Amino acid sequence: TQLLEQSPQFLSIQEGENLTVYCNSSSVFSSLQWYRQEPGEGPVLLVTVVTGGEVKKLKRLTFQFGDARKDSSLHITAAQPGDTGLYLCAATGANNLFFGTGTRLTVIP
Amino acid sequence: NAGVTQTPKFRVLKTGQSMTLLCAQDMNHEYMYWYRQDPGMGLRLIHYSVGEGTTAKGEVPDGYNVSRLKKQNFLLGLESAAPSQTSVYFCASSYTRGTDTQYFGPGTRLTVL
């Protein structure tokens, strides 16, 4: 049973387009993290959101934590080929993280 | 700093063989984790450790054992490999639990024939 569902599973867009990916759950979490994983490498943390309704920006990436702390979204403005990768959300448990299924993004030059 | 390193990078086993995956971190982190990553399943926690000499089961612990004899090392063992254990294995470490950043190694691709 997956605690976190991510959508879409796959996304292929042209360079310069905007996109949003989602991370949803029926459970409430104290915080949520977003990671990006490039082929052949381990995931790398992008951001941690803690407060319901919180919005964080990282250059062209905007992360939002839902008001009820059950969901989150990642919006990328003017996508670049360097944004290509697997985006994973992860909810924090007592001692570990619970990862979502991931969204595989391909940005075509 | 090398961060988190994993050995080996690739391995092919026959069913029933055993092997040990080694994870090492040089960041003096207390927490260490072993995950497996399968297509469409995301990362699933196998075992974790909250400090030297401790281990705990994660979401999918069956068929695996772990040891944390030294703070910087976390070993994952497969006593009798099965084809269902074909996967990419990632080790991670963090200073504390909860919202703290987990730092991942580059992964080990294991194929069990």
Side-chain angles (χ1 to χ4, degrees):
Chain A
T1 302
Q2 288 287 347
L3 286 179
L4 293 170
E5 297 290 339
Q6 291 188 244
S7 61
Q9 188 175 359
F10 299 95
L11 185 56
S12 182
I13 63 170
Q14 294 289 330
E15 180 176 359
E17 291 183 347
N18 301 332
L19 67 112
T20 302
V21 298
Y22 301 92
C23 174
N24 295 294
S25 175
S26 58
S27 302
V28 176
F29 296 106
S30 59
S31 63
L32 193 136
Q33 298 181 330
W34 284 92
Y35 287 78
R36 179 168 66 206
Q37 184 180 17
E38 298 188 14
E41 299 181 8
V44 175
L45 180 68
L46 296 173
V47 77
T48 301
V49 286
V50 179
T51 306
E54 181 177 6
V55 176
K56 281 192 173 180
K57 292 192 175 184
L58 184 66
K59 297 183 179 178
R60 294 176 292 101
L61 279 61
T62 302
F63 304 84
Q64 184 162 8
F65 201 14
D67 291 340
R69 305 205 316 275
K70 292 183 177 182
D71 54 87
S72 181
S73 64
L74 159 59
H75 181 79
I76 301 179
T77 303
Q80 303 293 314
D83 296 326
T84 292
L86 179 66
Y87 288 81
L88 296 160
C89 64
T92 53
N95 286 311
N96 49 277
L97 297 175
F98 299 95
F99 281 87
T101 50
T103 292
R104 190 167 297 279
L105 172 65
T106 302
V107 181
I108 302 166
Chain B
N1 286 349
V4 179
T5 58
Q6 294 182 232
T7 27
K9 293 188 185 300
F10 303 93
R11 185 72 186 269
V12 178
L13 290 178
K14 294 181 179 179
T15 297
Q17 288 185 319
S18 63
M19 77 164 295
T20 300
L21 282 66
L22 172 64
C23 175
Q25 53 93 4
D26 61 1
M27 297 175 281
N28 200 33
H29 285 169
E30 290 293 335
Y31 283 62
M32 296 188 74
Y33 315 83
W34 275 107
Y35 294 90
R36 60 177 290 173
Q37 186 174 37
D38 303 292
M41 299 292 291
L43 284 156
R44 292 182 294 169
L45 183 66
I46 304 171
H47 286 281
Y48 65 97
S49 169
V50 302
E52 182 179 322
T54 74
T55 63
K57 293 181 180 180
E59 181 185 357
V60 288
D62 293 343
Y64 305 95
N65 56 76
V66 288
S67 64
R68 183 104 181 263
L69 299 180
K70 293 183 178 181
K71 186 177 184 177
Q72 63 267 34
N73 295 337
F74 196 28
L75 278 64
L76 177 70
L78 285 74
E79 290 187 348
S80 180
S84 61
Q85 293 178 304
T86 293
S87 188
V88 181
Y89 291 85
F90 287 97
C91 176
S93 71
S94 64
Y95 187 63
T96 62
R97 64 181 190 183
T99 59
D100 198 22
T101 303
Q102 288 196 12
Y103 295 87
F104 285 81
T108 295
R109 184 173 294 277
L110 174 67
T111 301
V112 183
L113 303 175

